[in-house]
Amino acid sequence: MPSLDTELETARRIAREAGAVLLQVYATPFAVEDKAGGQGPVTEADTRANALIVDALHRAFPKDGVVAEESENDAVATRFERCWFVDPLDGTQEFVHRNGEFAIHIGLAIGGEARLGVVYRPVGDKLYSGVVGEGGFVEEAGARRALRVSDVAEPSALRLVVSRSHRSKLTNQVVARLGITREQESGSVGIKCGLLAESIADLYLHVSSKSYRWDNCAPEAVLRSAGGILTDLGGTPYRYNTAELQNLRGLLACNAAAFPHVQPVVTRFAREAGLLE
């Protein structure tokens, strides 16, 4: 299998360049607008970082497709064997609330599968990167550490990471059924998956259909590079070469040891809630 070293180093460089743009806007009294169709807030930071990343990827890899949150993405993912998925600012709400928990996602899917991922948190200069089957690393405070998910298999011992937004009934059901007692809150899909990849957390659930492939391509690659698993709530991996970009069946991220115990419980409650129809 061809090396992805060039792709990884390029994505890491671009993520840091885009991070500098986010921090420039973050330091100003920026305006917040609502996207059309109730798709959430958007700022100058989203659009500027999006343009920088997309342009840089097209210049570096002109034969690849690029799907990005703030771009027109009409069937792009279906036309390329290699396709980049970009979220220029995952956690815009966190950006707006100025809590630092936002990240840049740059992921590469090959043949419809997430293969390479970079998740960069500009506040704190923390960068996760990995290639599936080749391992991953986190860089922070001048140190570089290998990523590896925990081997905690007992459901009641799992550490759950959850969003800061409204708590769902489904999450409460899963927590009660598995006997989970340890939780922490975090913004950004990428940061939460990074916590799993670092063995700081063991389980993450996104129990709505309001996420997209650009939210999870890079986080999935990072998590899988560390030995973890990311699927929909039914336990089925997402494909990245389809016209449908919305994650209609939610997200389940878990270490590999606990996944066989967790997934049937999550799937049962998700089905009862109508999320897997």
Side-chain angles (χ1 to χ4, degrees), residues 3 8-9 25 44 57 83 122 132 141 195 203 218 224 229 240 253:
S3 167
L8 186 62
E9 288 308 309
V25 179
E44 175 190 355
L57 288 173
C83 189
V132 177
L195 294 175
L203 174 64
R224 288 178 57 202
I229 297 172
Y240 294 89

Side-chain angles (χ1 to χ4, degrees), residues 1-221:
M1 192 171 292
S3 167
L4 294 175
D5 289 350
T6 298
E7 287 84 348
L8 186 62
E9 288 308 309
T10 301
R12 286 156 46 85
R13 172 183 58 79
I14 294 171
R16 290 190 183 279
E17 291 173 359
V21 170
L22 296 189
L23 291 179
Q24 287 173 6
V25 179
Y26 198 55
T28 70
F30 56 84
V32 182
E33 300 178 6
D34 290 322
K35 289 185 185 180
Q39 295 297 309
V42 64
T43 71
E44 175 190 355
D46 297 75
T47 54
R48 284 180 56 190
N50 193 95
L52 183 155
I53 298 168
V54 171
D55 180 65
L57 288 173
H58 277 312
R59 282 189 283 108
F61 309 106
K63 295 182 180 179
D64 294 355
V66 180
V67 169
E69 180 172 8
E70 307 304 334
S71 302
E72 292 295 328
N73 297 305
D74 186 28
V76 169
T78 66
R79 304 200 304 267
F80 294 87
E81 172 70 10
R82 292 175 26 127
C83 189
W84 295 87
F85 285 79
V86 174
D87 191 337
L89 176 46
D90 184 59
T92 301
Q93 289 281 15
E94 277 63 42
F95 187 87
V96 171
H97 294 150
R98 298 181 185 275
N99 65 20
E101 293 180 352
F102 54 88
I104 293 163
H105 296 178
I106 303 178
L108 175 63
I110 301 176
E113 295 185 3
R115 284 286 313 282
L116 175 155
V118 170
V119 173
Y120 180 51
R121 176 178 173 169
V123 174
D125 188 24
K126 187 171 188 176
L127 189 144
Y128 299 97
S129 63
V131 175
V132 177
E134 298 180 21
F137 295 88
V138 57
E139 296 168 68
E140 184 180 25
R144 186 173 188 256
R145 307 186 304 277
L147 293 172
R148 187 65 197 174
V149 297
S150 77
D151 58 2
V152 177
E154 170 55 44
S156 64
L158 295 175
R159 298 159 297 175
L160 176 69
V161 59
V162 296
S163 297
R164 297 188 182 279
S165 55
H166 178 68
R167 178 62 168 252
S168 73
K169 177 183 176 183
L170 193 155
T171 299
N172 288 336
Q173 290 174 320
V174 171
V175 166
R177 177 66 181 82
L178 296 178
I180 293 172
T181 60
R182 290 191 288 173
E183 298 183 22
Q184 69 181 94
E185 293 182 336
S186 175
S188 170
V189 174
I191 293 175
K192 287 192 277 283
C193 286
L195 294 175
L196 267 71
E198 284 190 89
S199 293
I200 294 173
D202 310 298
L203 174 64
Y204 162 53
L205 302 175
H206 183 87
V207 297
S208 84
S209 60
K210 294 182 179 180
S211 71
Y212 295 81
R213 298 297 197 275
W214 50 74
D215 290 306
N216 52 288
C217 182
E220 177 181 348

